[in-house]
Amino acid sequence: MDSTPAVAPDVTGREESRARLTLYTSAFCEPCMQTRAVLAEAARLAPRIAVTELDVARNIERAEQDGIRSTPTVIVSGQDGSEVFRAEGVPTLAQVLAAAAKAL
């Protein structure tokens, strides 16, 4: 089990009505910590944002499937699961909120 805490776990059970953000991280990654803070603020401002955090070392197959080349990487998925936004490095709050709106 991945012991890395999710930024904003989905506790409502209504994931289908949410913008799904996946954050790929790695241990001791300073930009990952900054990205985690940006996504936490986005989730606070927009409750329909659900963030899942995955450590690439613990989720190698999924990271390869999603084409992760560096950390942090944020992928925003639309309702149908298609990728609508990808940020390699630390995204701005405005970028995350605009991508989440597009995903909804």
Side-chain angles (χ1 to χ4, degrees):
M1 180 173 171
D2 187 353
S3 63
T4 305
V7 175
D10 179 18
V11 294
T12 65
R14 296 181 297 149
E15 187 173 338
E16 68 277 358
S17 66
R18 294 178 165 259
R20 293 179 299 247
L21 285 66
T22 304
L23 168 61
Y24 284 95
T25 62
S26 55
F28 308 109
C29 168
E30 180 65 31
C32 294
M33 290 183 240
Q34 295 167 350
T35 301
R36 195 176 290 120
V38 170
L39 298 184
E41 179 64 6
R44 186 187 72 77
L45 293 171
R48 291 179 63 190
I49 292 176
V51 180
T52 301
E53 182 174 339
L54 299 173
D55 183 301
V56 293
R58 294 183 177 133
N59 297 278
I60 295 170
E61 287 182 24
R62 172 100 182 257
E64 287 177 359
Q65 176 185 348
D66 283 344
I68 303 305
R69 296 185 304 263
S70 62
T71 58
T73 296
V74 177
I75 298 175
V76 179
S77 301
Q79 296 295 319
D80 63 357
S82 64
E83 183 177 315
V84 298
F85 176 80
R86 177 181 291 241
E88 293 179 346
V90 182
T92 66
L93 180 59
Q95 287 175 316
V96 172
L97 292 174
K102 184 177 179 183
L104 293 170

